[in-house]
Amino acid sequence: EVQLVESGGGLVQPGGSLKLSCAASGFSFRRYAMRWVRQSPGKGLEWVSDIDNNGGAYYGDSVKGRFTISRDNAKNMLYLQMNSLEPEDTAVYYCTKGNDASANRSKFSARGQGTQVTVSS
């Protein structure tokens, strides 16, 4: 059974940083692309970032230059380093699993429970 457990969220002031983690189990993590998405109150899911199984990374325009996705295939861990946070980044952040090594070819599903990020002064 695929399990994804996000952590690392919290309350941070504008301009601050957080690093989210996603612990993956129940599948061969190193074989698949992964994705971070987020959902704000009253809004739909927003794509944040993808990473191929070999580390190729892709970002949404709203986070490009501020967020960095990474993975540790030996530890079955996915990360999202978030810098220069803005109030608009407030959301529940989810990691999701692709069904291909390439993010471009993947369909993503199997979200975790999410971790809340709140950016406020």
Side-chain angles (χ1 to χ4, degrees), residues 69-101:
I69 192 171
S70 62
R71 64 192 294 162
D72 185 335
N73 287 341
K75 296 182 178 179
N76 291 353
M77 294 293 295
L78 176 72
Y79 304 102
L80 186 69
Q81 176 67 47
M82 306 186 296
N83 299 329
S84 302
L85 282 161
E86 304 167 351
E88 293 73 22
D89 296 316
T90 295
V92 178
Y93 285 72
Y94 301 92
C95 62
T96 66
K97 171 190 171 293
N99 64 353
D100 192 279

PDB file of all heavy atoms in Angstrom, residues 69-101:
ATOM      1  N   ILE A  69      12.743  21.696  -5.026  1.00  0.00           N
ATOM      2  CA  ILE A  69      12.339  20.319  -4.767  1.00  0.00           C
ATOM      3  C   ILE A  69      13.568  19.431  -4.827  1.00  0.00           C
ATOM      4  O   ILE A  69      14.485  19.675  -5.615  1.00  0.00           O
ATOM      5  CB  ILE A  69      11.267  19.867  -5.787  1.00  0.00           C
ATOM      6  CG1 ILE A  69      10.620  18.549  -5.374  1.00  0.00           C
ATOM      7  CG2 ILE A  69      11.839  19.788  -7.193  1.00  0.00           C
ATOM      8  CD1 ILE A  69       9.412  18.158  -6.233  1.00  0.00           C
ATOM      9  N   SER A  70      13.586  18.412  -3.997  1.00  0.00           N
ATOM     10  CA  SER A  70      14.687  17.461  -4.019  1.00  0.00           C
ATOM     11  C   SER A  70      14.200  16.117  -3.482  1.00  0.00           C
ATOM     12  O   SER A  70      13.096  16.026  -2.929  1.00  0.00           O
ATOM     13  CB  SER A  70      15.886  17.963  -3.195  1.00  0.00           C
ATOM     14  OG  SER A  70      15.522  18.110  -1.832  1.00  0.00           O
ATOM     15  N   ARG A  71      15.012  15.115  -3.680  1.00  0.00           N
ATOM     16  CA  ARG A  71      14.652  13.785  -3.198  1.00  0.00           C
ATOM     17  C   ARG A  71      15.902  13.038  -2.783  1.00  0.00           C
ATOM     18  O   ARG A  71      16.988  13.282  -3.306  1.00  0.00           O
ATOM     19  CB  ARG A  71      13.881  13.015  -4.261  1.00  0.00           C
ATOM     20  CG  ARG A  71      14.658  12.714  -5.527  1.00  0.00           C
ATOM     21  CD  ARG A  71      13.733  12.204  -6.637  1.00  0.00           C
ATOM     22  NE  ARG A  71      13.153  10.910  -6.290  1.00  0.00           N
ATOM     23  CZ  ARG A  71      12.071  10.413  -6.891  1.00  0.00           C
ATOM     24  NH1 ARG A  71      11.455  11.110  -7.853  1.00  0.00           N
ATOM     25  NH2 ARG A  71      11.594   9.231  -6.539  1.00  0.00           N
ATOM     26  N   ASP A  72      15.719  12.106  -1.848  1.00  0.00           N
ATOM     27  CA  ASP A  72      16.782  11.206  -1.423  1.00  0.00           C
ATOM     28  C   ASP A  72      16.254   9.796  -1.657  1.00  0.00           C
ATOM     29  O   ASP A  72      15.476   9.276  -0.838  1.00  0.00           O
ATOM     30  CB  ASP A  72      17.126  11.445   0.050  1.00  0.00           C
ATOM     31  CG  ASP A  72      18.310  10.627   0.512  1.00  0.00           C
ATOM     32  OD1 ASP A  72      18.579   9.572  -0.089  1.00  0.00           O
ATOM     33  OD2 ASP A  72      18.957  11.036   1.486  1.00  0.00           O
ATOM     34  N   ASN A  73      16.648   9.204  -2.759  1.00  0.00           N
ATOM     35  CA  ASN A  73      16.119   7.882  -3.113  1.00  0.00           C
ATOM     36  C   ASN A  73      16.575   6.800  -2.139  1.00  0.00           C
ATOM     37  O   ASN A  73      15.902   5.788  -1.983  1.00  0.00           O
ATOM     38  CB  ASN A  73      16.511   7.522  -4.539  1.00  0.00           C
ATOM     39  CG  ASN A  73      15.726   8.317  -5.573  1.00  0.00           C
ATOM     40  OD1 ASN A  73      14.667   8.863  -5.282  1.00  0.00           O
ATOM     41  ND2 ASN A  73      16.261   8.404  -6.780  1.00  0.00           N
ATOM     42  N   ALA A  74      17.705   6.998  -1.484  1.00  0.00           N
ATOM     43  CA  ALA A  74      18.180   6.011  -0.514  1.00  0.00           C
ATOM     44  C   ALA A  74      17.319   6.018   0.744  1.00  0.00           C
ATOM     45  O   ALA A  74      17.214   4.987   1.430  1.00  0.00           O
ATOM     46  CB  ALA A  74      19.628   6.290  -0.157  1.00  0.00           C
ATOM     47  N   LYS A  75      16.723   7.162   1.039  1.00  0.00           N
ATOM     48  CA  LYS A  75      15.918   7.289   2.255  1.00  0.00           C
ATOM     49  C   LYS A  75      14.418   7.312   1.971  1.00  0.00           C
ATOM     50  O   LYS A  75      13.614   7.453   2.893  1.00  0.00           O
ATOM     51  CB  LYS A  75      16.302   8.558   3.017  1.00  0.00           C
ATOM     52  CG  LYS A  75      17.727   8.566   3.541  1.00  0.00           C
ATOM     53  CD  LYS A  75      18.014   9.838   4.315  1.00  0.00           C
ATOM     54  CE  LYS A  75      19.426   9.816   4.880  1.00  0.00           C
ATOM     55  NZ  LYS A  75      19.736  11.070   5.631  1.00  0.00           N
ATOM     56  N   ASN A  76      14.040   7.213   0.700  1.00  0.00           N
ATOM     57  CA  ASN A  76      12.618   7.282   0.315  1.00  0.00           C
ATOM     58  C   ASN A  76      11.973   8.582   0.799  1.00  0.00           C
ATOM     59  O   ASN A  76      10.848   8.571   1.325  1.00  0.00           O
ATOM     60  CB  ASN A  76      11.841   6.080   0.866  1.00  0.00           C
ATOM     61  CG  ASN A  76      12.216   4.785   0.197  1.00  0.00           C
ATOM     62  OD1 ASN A  76      12.966   4.763  -0.776  1.00  0.00           O
ATOM     63  ND2 ASN A  76      11.710   3.684   0.723  1.00  0.00           N
ATOM     64  N   MET A  77      12.672   9.679   0.597  1.00  0.00           N
ATOM     65  CA  MET A  77      12.209  10.976   1.075  1.00  0.00           C
ATOM     66  C   MET A  77      12.134  11.990  -0.054  1.00  0.00           C
ATOM     67  O   MET A  77      13.010  12.056  -0.922  1.00  0.00           O
ATOM     68  CB  MET A  77      13.131  11.510   2.155  1.00  0.00           C
ATOM     69  CG  MET A  77      13.139  10.701   3.443  1.00  0.00           C
ATOM     70  SD  MET A  77      11.562  10.774   4.330  1.00  0.00           S
ATOM     71  CE  MET A  77      11.500  12.513   4.766  1.00  0.00           C
ATOM     72  N   LEU A  78      11.097  12.801  -0.009  1.00  0.00           N
ATOM     73  CA  LEU A  78      10.902  13.920  -0.918  1.00  0.00           C
ATOM     74  C   LEU A  78      10.908  15.188  -0.075  1.00  0.00           C
ATOM     75  O   LEU A  78      10.382  15.194   1.047  1.00  0.00           O
ATOM     76  CB  LEU A  78       9.573  13.786  -1.644  1.00  0.00           C
ATOM     77  CG  LEU A  78       9.150  14.917  -2.571  1.00  0.00           C
ATOM     78  CD1 LEU A  78      10.011  14.916  -3.835  1.00  0.00           C
ATOM     79  CD2 LEU A  78       7.669  14.789  -2.939  1.00  0.00           C
ATOM     80  N   TYR A  79      11.479  16.264  -0.618  1.00  0.00           N
ATOM     81  CA  TYR A  79      11.589  17.509   0.128  1.00  0.00           C
ATOM     82  C   TYR A  79      11.114  18.695  -0.709  1.00  0.00           C
ATOM     83  O   TYR A  79      11.118  18.648  -1.937  1.00  0.00           O
ATOM     84  CB  TYR A  79      13.037  17.758   0.542  1.00  0.00           C
ATOM     85  CG  TYR A  79      13.653  16.645   1.341  1.00  0.00           C
ATOM     86  CD1 TYR A  79      14.526  15.738   0.746  1.00  0.00           C
ATOM     87  CD2 TYR A  79      13.358  16.495   2.688  1.00  0.00           C
ATOM     88  CE1 TYR A  79      15.087  14.711   1.472  1.00  0.00           C
ATOM     89  CE2 TYR A  79      13.917  15.466   3.430  1.00  0.00           C
ATOM     90  CZ  TYR A  79      14.786  14.577   2.814  1.00  0.00           C
ATOM     91  OH  TYR A  79      15.335  13.556   3.548  1.00  0.00           O
ATOM     92  N   LEU A  80      10.740  19.751   0.009  1.00  0.00           N
ATOM     93  CA  LEU A  80      10.456  21.029  -0.641  1.00  0.00           C
ATOM     94  C   LEU A  80      11.008  22.132   0.247  1.00  0.00           C
ATOM     95  O   LEU A  80      10.468  22.385   1.318  1.00  0.00           O
ATOM     96  CB  LEU A  80       8.962  21.220  -0.874  1.00  0.00           C
ATOM     97  CG  LEU A  80       8.590  22.463  -1.681  1.00  0.00           C
ATOM     98  CD1 LEU A  80       9.049  22.310  -3.138  1.00  0.00           C
ATOM     99  CD2 LEU A  80       7.078  22.719  -1.641  1.00  0.00           C
ATOM    100  N   GLN A  81      12.098  22.738  -0.203  1.00  0.00           N
ATOM    101  CA  GLN A  81      12.673  23.882   0.508  1.00  0.00           C
ATOM    102  C   GLN A  81      11.977  25.140  -0.001  1.00  0.00           C
ATOM    103  O   GLN A  81      11.999  25.428  -1.205  1.00  0.00           O
ATOM    104  CB  GLN A  81      14.167  23.974   0.246  1.00  0.00           C
ATOM    105  CG  GLN A  81      14.826  25.200   0.869  1.00  0.00           C
ATOM    106  CD  GLN A  81      14.815  25.152   2.385  1.00  0.00           C
ATOM    107  OE1 GLN A  81      15.163  24.131   2.977  1.00  0.00           O
ATOM    108  NE2 GLN A  81      14.413  26.252   3.020  1.00  0.00           N
ATOM    109  N   MET A  82      11.358  25.873   0.915  1.00  0.00           N
ATOM    110  CA  MET A  82      10.586  27.051   0.550  1.00  0.00           C
ATOM    111  C   MET A  82      11.231  28.279   1.180  1.00  0.00           C
ATOM    112  O   MET A  82      11.320  28.373   2.416  1.00  0.00           O
ATOM    113  CB  MET A  82       9.142  26.901   1.029  1.00  0.00           C
ATOM    114  CG  MET A  82       8.463  25.624   0.554  1.00  0.00           C
ATOM    115  SD  MET A  82       6.724  25.550   0.979  1.00  0.00           S
ATOM    116  CE  MET A  82       6.828  25.514   2.754  1.00  0.00           C
ATOM    117  N   ASN A  83      11.687  29.184   0.356  1.00  0.00           N
ATOM    118  CA  ASN A  83      12.312  30.426   0.808  1.00  0.00           C
ATOM    119  C   ASN A  83      11.479  31.624   0.368  1.00  0.00           C
ATOM    120  O   ASN A  83      10.620  31.513  -0.511  1.00  0.00           O
ATOM    121  CB  ASN A  83      13.726  30.544   0.242  1.00  0.00           C
ATOM    122  CG  ASN A  83      14.636  29.427   0.690  1.00  0.00           C
ATOM    123  OD1 ASN A  83      14.494  28.894   1.795  1.00  0.00           O
ATOM    124  ND2 ASN A  83      15.581  29.060  -0.153  1.00  0.00           N
ATOM    125  N   SER A  84      11.745  32.758   0.963  1.00  0.00           N
ATOM    126  CA  SER A  84      11.048  34.006   0.616  1.00  0.00           C
ATOM    127  C   SER A  84       9.540  33.804   0.594  1.00  0.00           C
ATOM    128  O   SER A  84       8.855  34.205  -0.358  1.00  0.00           O
ATOM    129  CB  SER A  84      11.540  34.518  -0.750  1.00  0.00           C
ATOM    130  OG  SER A  84      12.926  34.736  -0.726  1.00  0.00           O
ATOM    131  N   LEU A  85       9.038  33.187   1.630  1.00  0.00           N
ATOM    132  CA  LEU A  85       7.616  32.844   1.665  1.00  0.00           C
ATOM    133  C   LEU A  85       6.741  34.087   1.696  1.00  0.00           C
ATOM    134  O   LEU A  85       7.096  35.109   2.318  1.00  0.00           O
ATOM    135  CB  LEU A  85       7.323  31.939   2.858  1.00  0.00           C
ATOM    136  CG  LEU A  85       7.739  30.475   2.648  1.00  0.00           C
ATOM    137  CD1 LEU A  85       7.859  29.746   3.970  1.00  0.00           C
ATOM    138  CD2 LEU A  85       6.754  29.774   1.732  1.00  0.00           C
ATOM    139  N   GLU A  86       5.601  33.979   1.038  1.00  0.00           N
ATOM    140  CA  GLU A  86       4.634  35.060   0.914  1.00  0.00           C
ATOM    141  C   GLU A  86       3.292  34.602   1.487  1.00  0.00           C
ATOM    142  O   GLU A  86       3.020  33.393   1.516  1.00  0.00           O
ATOM    143  CB  GLU A  86       4.470  35.431  -0.560  1.00  0.00           C
ATOM    144  CG  GLU A  86       5.762  35.806  -1.245  1.00  0.00           C
ATOM    145  CD  GLU A  86       5.616  35.864  -2.763  1.00  0.00           C
ATOM    146  OE1 GLU A  86       4.555  35.445  -3.292  1.00  0.00           O
ATOM    147  OE2 GLU A  86       6.574  36.329  -3.426  1.00  0.00           O
ATOM    148  N   PRO A  87       2.459  35.530   1.928  1.00  0.00           N
ATOM    149  CA  PRO A  87       1.135  35.123   2.427  1.00  0.00           C
ATOM    150  C   PRO A  87       0.355  34.274   1.427  1.00  0.00           C
ATOM    151  O   PRO A  87      -0.411  33.391   1.830  1.00  0.00           O
ATOM    152  CB  PRO A  87       0.444  36.462   2.677  1.00  0.00           C
ATOM    153  CG  PRO A  87       1.567  37.398   3.011  1.00  0.00           C
ATOM    154  CD  PRO A  87       2.702  36.965   2.118  1.00  0.00           C
ATOM    155  N   GLU A  88       0.590  34.508   0.130  1.00  0.00           N
ATOM    156  CA  GLU A  88      -0.102  33.737  -0.902  1.00  0.00           C
ATOM    157  C   GLU A  88       0.338  32.273  -0.931  1.00  0.00           C
ATOM    158  O   GLU A  88      -0.296  31.447  -1.599  1.00  0.00           O
ATOM    159  CB  GLU A  88       0.132  34.363  -2.275  1.00  0.00           C
ATOM    160  CG  GLU A  88      -0.503  35.741  -2.466  1.00  0.00           C
ATOM    161  CD  GLU A  88       0.225  36.858  -1.710  1.00  0.00           C
ATOM    162  OE1 GLU A  88       1.418  36.694  -1.380  1.00  0.00           O
ATOM    163  OE2 GLU A  88      -0.425  37.895  -1.444  1.00  0.00           O
ATOM    164  N   ASP A  89       1.411  31.951  -0.245  1.00  0.00           N
ATOM    165  CA  ASP A  89       1.867  30.558  -0.176  1.00  0.00           C
ATOM    166  C   ASP A  89       1.126  29.770   0.897  1.00  0.00           C
ATOM    167  O   ASP A  89       1.330  28.551   1.017  1.00  0.00           O
ATOM    168  CB  ASP A  89       3.372  30.500   0.113  1.00  0.00           C
ATOM    169  CG  ASP A  89       4.202  31.107  -0.995  1.00  0.00           C
ATOM    170  OD1 ASP A  89       3.911  30.834  -2.178  1.00  0.00           O
ATOM    171  OD2 ASP A  89       5.145  31.860  -0.683  1.00  0.00           O
ATOM    172  N   THR A  90       0.297  30.428   1.682  1.00  0.00           N
ATOM    173  CA  THR A  90      -0.473  29.746   2.711  1.00  0.00           C
ATOM    174  C   THR A  90      -1.387  28.712   2.084  1.00  0.00           C
ATOM    175  O   THR A  90      -2.194  29.030   1.199  1.00  0.00           O
ATOM    176  CB  THR A  90      -1.305  30.760   3.512  1.00  0.00           C
ATOM    177  OG1 THR A  90      -0.422  31.637   4.211  1.00  0.00           O
ATOM    178  CG2 THR A  90      -2.219  30.055   4.498  1.00  0.00           C
ATOM    179  N   ALA A  91      -1.247  27.466   2.526  1.00  0.00           N
ATOM    180  CA  ALA A  91      -2.002  26.362   1.937  1.00  0.00           C
ATOM    181  C   ALA A  91      -1.673  25.078   2.679  1.00  0.00           C
ATOM    182  O   ALA A  91      -0.732  25.034   3.478  1.00  0.00           O
ATOM    183  CB  ALA A  91      -1.649  26.192   0.457  1.00  0.00           C
ATOM    184  N   VAL A  92      -2.436  24.055   2.386  1.00  0.00           N
ATOM    185  CA  VAL A  92      -2.060  22.702   2.769  1.00  0.00           C
ATOM    186  C   VAL A  92      -1.252  22.129   1.617  1.00  0.00           C
ATOM    187  O   VAL A  92      -1.691  22.176   0.455  1.00  0.00           O
ATOM    188  CB  VAL A  92      -3.281  21.821   3.064  1.00  0.00           C
ATOM    189  CG1 VAL A  92      -2.835  20.403   3.422  1.00  0.00           C
ATOM    190  CG2 VAL A  92      -4.116  22.428   4.184  1.00  0.00           C
ATOM    191  N   TYR A  93      -0.089  21.610   1.936  1.00  0.00           N
ATOM    192  CA  TYR A  93       0.826  21.076   0.929  1.00  0.00           C
ATOM    193  C   TYR A  93       0.785  19.548   0.967  1.00  0.00           C
ATOM    194  O   TYR A  93       0.867  18.936   2.044  1.00  0.00           O
ATOM    195  CB  TYR A  93       2.248  21.575   1.176  1.00  0.00           C
ATOM    196  CG  TYR A  93       2.444  23.006   0.771  1.00  0.00           C
ATOM    197  CD1 TYR A  93       1.880  24.037   1.515  1.00  0.00           C
ATOM    198  CD2 TYR A  93       3.178  23.343  -0.368  1.00  0.00           C
ATOM    199  CE1 TYR A  93       2.035  25.361   1.144  1.00  0.00           C
ATOM    200  CE2 TYR A  93       3.347  24.669  -0.748  1.00  0.00           C
ATOM    201  CZ  TYR A  93       2.773  25.664   0.006  1.00  0.00           C
ATOM    202  OH  TYR A  93       2.929  26.977  -0.367  1.00  0.00           O
ATOM    203  N   TYR A  94       0.674  18.965  -0.226  1.00  0.00           N
ATOM    204  CA  TYR A  94       0.588  17.515  -0.365  1.00  0.00           C
ATOM    205  C   TYR A  94       1.685  17.016  -1.291  1.00  0.00           C
ATOM    206  O   TYR A  94       1.998  17.658  -2.301  1.00  0.00           O
ATOM    207  CB  TYR A  94      -0.737  17.106  -0.989  1.00  0.00           C
ATOM    208  CG  TYR A  94      -1.974  17.522  -0.244  1.00  0.00           C
ATOM    209  CD1 TYR A  94      -2.614  18.722  -0.543  1.00  0.00           C
ATOM    210  CD2 TYR A  94      -2.540  16.701   0.726  1.00  0.00           C
ATOM    211  CE1 TYR A  94      -3.764  19.105   0.127  1.00  0.00           C
ATOM    212  CE2 TYR A  94      -3.688  17.071   1.398  1.00  0.00           C
ATOM    213  CZ  TYR A  94      -4.293  18.280   1.096  1.00  0.00           C
ATOM    214  OH  TYR A  94      -5.446  18.642   1.755  1.00  0.00           O
ATOM    215  N   CYS A  95       2.227  15.850  -0.988  1.00  0.00           N
ATOM    216  CA  CYS A  95       3.081  15.171  -1.957  1.00  0.00           C
ATOM    217  C   CYS A  95       2.258  14.080  -2.638  1.00  0.00           C
ATOM    218  O   CYS A  95       1.346  13.500  -2.035  1.00  0.00           O
ATOM    219  CB  CYS A  95       4.328  14.585  -1.313  1.00  0.00           C
ATOM    220  SG  CYS A  95       4.064  13.328  -0.064  1.00  0.00           S
ATOM    221  N   THR A  96       2.562  13.856  -3.900  1.00  0.00           N
ATOM    222  CA  THR A  96       1.835  12.856  -4.679  1.00  0.00           C
ATOM    223  C   THR A  96       2.818  12.030  -5.497  1.00  0.00           C
ATOM    224  O   THR A  96       3.895  12.508  -5.870  1.00  0.00           O
ATOM    225  CB  THR A  96       0.815  13.505  -5.629  1.00  0.00           C
ATOM    226  OG1 THR A  96       1.514  14.263  -6.623  1.00  0.00           O
ATOM    227  CG2 THR A  96      -0.124  14.432  -4.881  1.00  0.00           C
ATOM    228  N   LYS A  97       2.412  10.823  -5.803  1.00  0.00           N
ATOM    229  CA  LYS A  97       3.259   9.877  -6.517  1.00  0.00           C
ATOM    230  C   LYS A  97       2.855   9.808  -7.986  1.00  0.00           C
ATOM    231  O   LYS A  97       1.664   9.703  -8.316  1.00  0.00           O
ATOM    232  CB  LYS A  97       3.124   8.491  -5.880  1.00  0.00           C
ATOM    233  CG  LYS A  97       3.795   7.369  -6.655  1.00  0.00           C
ATOM    234  CD  LYS A  97       3.408   6.028  -6.094  1.00  0.00           C
ATOM    235  CE  LYS A  97       3.895   4.898  -6.988  1.00  0.00           C
ATOM    236  NZ  LYS A  97       3.201   4.907  -8.292  1.00  0.00           N
ATOM    237  N   GLY A  98       3.854   9.833  -8.859  1.00  0.00           N
ATOM    238  CA  GLY A  98       3.600   9.612 -10.272  1.00  0.00           C
ATOM    239  C   GLY A  98       3.595   8.132 -10.602  1.00  0.00           C
ATOM    240  O   GLY A  98       3.919   7.284  -9.761  1.00  0.00           O
ATOM    241  N   ASN A  99       3.226   7.819 -11.845  1.00  0.00           N
ATOM    242  CA  ASN A  99       3.221   6.417 -12.265  1.00  0.00           C
ATOM    243  C   ASN A  99       4.265   6.155 -13.353  1.00  0.00           C
ATOM    244  O   ASN A  99       4.182   5.151 -14.068  1.00  0.00           O
ATOM    245  CB  ASN A  99       1.835   5.984 -12.737  1.00  0.00           C
ATOM    246  CG  ASN A  99       1.378   6.732 -13.971  1.00  0.00           C
ATOM    247  OD1 ASN A  99       2.026   7.674 -14.421  1.00  0.00           O
ATOM    248  ND2 ASN A  99       0.257   6.318 -14.528  1.00  0.00           N
ATOM    249  N   ASP A 100       5.256   7.056 -13.449  1.00  0.00           N
ATOM    250  CA  ASP A 100       6.334   6.914 -14.415  1.00  0.00           C
ATOM    251  C   ASP A 100       7.571   7.581 -13.832  1.00  0.00           C
ATOM    252  O   ASP A 100       7.465   8.409 -12.918  1.00  0.00           O
ATOM    253  CB  ASP A 100       5.938   7.580 -15.735  1.00  0.00           C
ATOM    254  CG  ASP A 100       6.871   7.229 -16.879  1.00  0.00           C
ATOM    255  OD1 ASP A 100       7.955   7.844 -16.993  1.00  0.00           O
ATOM    256  OD2 ASP A 100       6.533   6.326 -17.663  1.00  0.00           O
ATOM    257  N   ALA A 101       8.726   7.225 -14.389  1.00  0.00           N
ATOM    258  CA  ALA A 101       9.952   7.857 -13.916  1.00  0.00           C
ATOM    259  C   ALA A 101       9.991   9.345 -14.279  1.00  0.00           C
ATOM    260  O   ALA A 101      10.592  10.159 -13.572  1.00  0.00           O
ATOM    261  CB  ALA A 101      11.159   7.138 -14.524  1.00  0.00           C
TER     262      ALA A 101
END
